Amino acid sequence: MRKHAMLTLALATGIAAPALAEGWEHYENARFRFVIDVPEGFVAKPAPDNGDGQKWTTPDGYAELIAFGSLGTTFNAEKAAAKADPAGRYFASGKSWFVTSGIRDRTIFYARTIRGCDGAVITFRFEYPALRKISYDGLIKRIGKSLKSLPCS
């Protein structure tokens, strides 16, 4: 009952309910062999027919999370493009990953990209209004840590 009351209060005051939620959904992509955790309350949109990933939004539509794999590019090309993005304010990288974030049109974006199987590039991107920064910033760390490439078959 207390959790329900907190959720109702959060929605009434404009605080994102997912930031308060404890239960998360575990998503696994069979085509590109990756997993990611999605905050409770995010709504899955229809998956593309090609199976390259999934999109979720908050019930109010303010935030959007996309996780996908791609083959039409290389990891290094994606890394260079992210590093050169003029809207990017933060960039960090390692041998098999990179992270970028910034603000474009009053929308904060955060993306983490990792190397996948057979040359695949796996990315998650989280976007939300800058005015809701406090509500959503806390989710990024957990989502980012959960993105993993599964063993190649």
Side-chain angles (χ1 to χ4, degrees), residues 30-31 33 117-118 150-153:
R31 179 177 178 203
R33 313 251 336 117
C117 295
D118 302 323
L150 296 171
C152 302
S153 48

Side-chain angles (χ1 to χ4, degrees), residues 134-149:
I134 294 170
S135 299
Y136 293 112
D137 271 1
L139 300 176
I140 291 171
K141 186 175 183 179
R142 177 156 176 200
I143 297 169
K145 282 186 167 188
S146 75
L147 180 66
K148 300 210 181 340
S149 181

Side-chain angles (χ1 to χ4, degrees), residues 26 43 52 82 91 129 139 141:
H26 187 71
V43 178
D52 67 351
F91 181 85
L139 300 176
K141 186 175 183 179

